[in-house]
Amino acid sequence: MPMDISVTPSSLQVKTPEGCTEVWLPAEVRLVPSSSRGLRYVAGDGLHLWLQAQTEFSTNLISMFNQSSHTRGCCTFYCQSCGEVIIRDRKLLRVLPLPTENWGALVGEWCCHPDPFANKPLHPRENDCFIGDSFVLMNLRNDLWQPRPQLAPVETHCLSSENHFKLTPKANTKVICKRCKVMVGETMSSETIKFYMTEMIIQPSERNFPIIPRSQFVQSIIAQCLMELSSARSTFRFIIQGHDGKTYILLWLLNSDSLVIESLGNSKSVKKFPLLEDVSKADFGSACRAVKVLYQPCIKNRNETLAGSWESDISVHSLTLPSATCLELLLLLSRNTATLPPSLRSMNSFQVAFLKM
């Protein structure tokens, strides 16, 4: 079928004997018509065309924690899934990054005397907040209305009415949101709680809880975490592990400068690609930054050999999340892969996906 394709800085137009389809891009995205190359038709995909794009927007990244919140007064901790208040009006005097997980080994290499930090975990003091790769550590000594038993497991303990989460003894160290029952963290000691970044939002107390779709929040937090770790530690391969110690996903970061443009059309139009749809006009509503990743699922004993080799490789970094969130992330990756043309869904036996920021 003959086609006439026109490219302007703000739109693409495809004319056929059966009609004309015009795609308008978001205002912040501009194409460079002279960069057009590689036009071809791929069976099962549709038209492939390479174009240079220019963007003029700044992305306001989603974050569970506003680094400057502690300087403006008290903070409130919310469950990201349902908005329940977990900790109300907590004054943070120090917000400090934690060292890498291998910091103890590095101290042993550099010290000519016995390691002064041996068997001494880094736990925050009162009004401290320590930030790890995928979690924050908080000291809740003043929030416990009675000490927890130190021997046999007993019934679940509840904190004060202002701090709505449940704690279970050593047999089950999960910290659970009182309203939606989602795991938001784990107990690390009698006073220290680990909260996962994918489950919490920390805001200045004078602000309201921000409503962010769960899938958007998880993608953005994980994408930013991958970017920060790859920049700080020059590592691009990651193992996503659950709090149960199981490996769920192998992730390989390819690049962090991708741009994803979403269609305002229905899901059928997205899957069939609006350029070839029999519609008069298809608009793309928004553009956002994204990271491109390769991944392999490891659930149900899949890819055991590959997972074993990654786990023994010191250049691979592990990220621990609640097991339910690991499955949630795997579902998001699979859905993102399904939106790509079939010919672009895999690379070197890995699946391809984009995590939006």
Side-chain angles (χ1 to χ4, degrees), residues 10 51 56 137 164-165 173 182 201 209 230 250-251 289 295 309 313 339:
S10 59
L51 285 165
E56 298 179 356
L137 295 181
H164 303 297
F165 61 81
T173 60
V182 165
I201 290 182
F209 170 75
S230 64
L250 305 179
L251 271 179
R289 291 173 54 194
Y295 70 96
S309 65
D313 191 333
T339 64

Side-chain angles (χ1 to χ4, degrees), residues 40-322:
R40 60 194 176 100
Y41 179 83
V42 178
D45 286 1
L47 289 178
H48 283 221
L49 176 64
W50 294 92
L51 285 165
Q52 180 181 347
Q54 299 175 340
T55 60
E56 298 179 356
F57 72 99
S58 58
T59 303
N60 294 322
L61 299 179
I62 296 173
S63 175
M64 66 83 69
F65 185 76
N66 186 335
Q67 292 281 9
S68 61
S69 295
H70 65 288
T71 65
R72 284 179 266 170
C74 296
C75 299
T76 297
F77 290 53
Y78 299 92
C79 170
Q80 197 280 324
S81 296
C82 69
E84 177 75 352
V85 174
I86 304 298
I87 302 175
R88 187 186 300 277
D89 297 335
R90 167 54 64 93
K91 178 68 174 179
L92 300 179
L93 299 180
R94 297 195 307 170
V95 179
L96 303 173
L98 285 168
T100 65
E101 73 279 4
N102 297 320
W103 70 275
L106 295 176
V107 170
E109 293 292 333
W110 283 95
C111 286
C112 59
H113 49 77
D115 184 0
F117 304 105
N119 301 319
K120 293 182 179 180
L122 293 177
H123 285 167
R125 299 176 181 176
E126 183 181 350
N127 297 322
D128 282 353
C129 177
F130 289 175
I131 302 177
D133 295 336
S134 59
F135 61 89
V136 297
L137 295 181
M138 294 289 300
N139 185 303
L140 300 184
R141 176 173 52 194
N142 291 340
D143 296 289
L144 299 178
W145 64 276
Q146 65 178 22
R148 292 192 292 274
Q150 305 194 4
L151 297 176
V154 293
E155 292 296 324
T156 298
H157 288 247
C158 295
L159 298 186
S160 64
S161 60
E162 292 296 330
N163 296 321
H164 303 297
F165 61 81
K166 300 178 180 179
L167 300 180
T168 56
K170 186 62 176 178
N172 183 359
T173 60
K174 294 192 294 184
V175 179
I176 301 172
C177 174
K178 183 178 180 180
R179 178 190 291 175
C180 66
K181 311 304 180 185
V182 165
M183 176 182 175
V184 297
E186 295 181 86
T187 58
M188 303 301 293
S189 71
S190 60
E191 300 176 353
T192 303
I193 304 292
K194 173 199 286 185
F195 291 117
Y196 289 104
M197 292 183 179
T198 54
E199 315 307 317
M200 302 283 294
I201 290 182
I202 307 175
Q203 290 276 65
S205 294
E206 65 271 12
R207 295 186 184 178
N208 295 324
F209 170 75
I211 300 176
I212 304 172
R214 176 66 181 164
S215 61
Q216 181 183 353
F217 182 82
V218 171
Q219 286 189 74
S220 182
I221 292 296
I222 297 299
Q224 292 177 63
C225 187
L226 297 181
M227 283 185 59
E228 291 172 4
L229 289 172
S230 64
S231 175
R233 305 182 187 178
S234 297
T235 181
F236 302 93
R237 290 185 296 164
F238 302 88
I239 296 176
I240 306 299
Q241 292 182 327
H243 72 279
D244 53 8
K246 297 179 180 179
T247 296
Y248 286 80
I249 312 170
L250 305 179
L251 271 179
W252 198 325
L253 178 63
L254 283 188
N255 62 58
S256 55
D257 59 354
S258 298
L259 183 70
V260 174
I261 302 176
E262 294 181 317
S263 172
L264 291 177
N266 56 40
S267 59
K268 293 183 179 180
S269 296
V270 174
K271 291 181 180 179
K272 294 181 180 178
F273 298 97
L275 280 176
L276 299 181
E277 288 296 302
D278 186 17
V279 294
S280 59
K281 185 176 180 179
D283 289 342
F284 286 84
S286 63
C288 64
R289 291 173 54 194
V291 298
K292 184 177 182 180
V293 298
L294 304 180
Y295 70 96
Q296 285 281 20
C298 295
I299 58 175
K300 297 182 178 180
N301 299 321
R302 296 174 62 182
N303 300 301
E304 281 187 295
T305 302
L306 181 61
S309 65
W310 279 39
E311 289 169 1
S312 61
D313 191 333
I314 61 173
S315 66
V316 179
H317 188 79
S318 296
L319 288 176
T320 301
L321 303 171

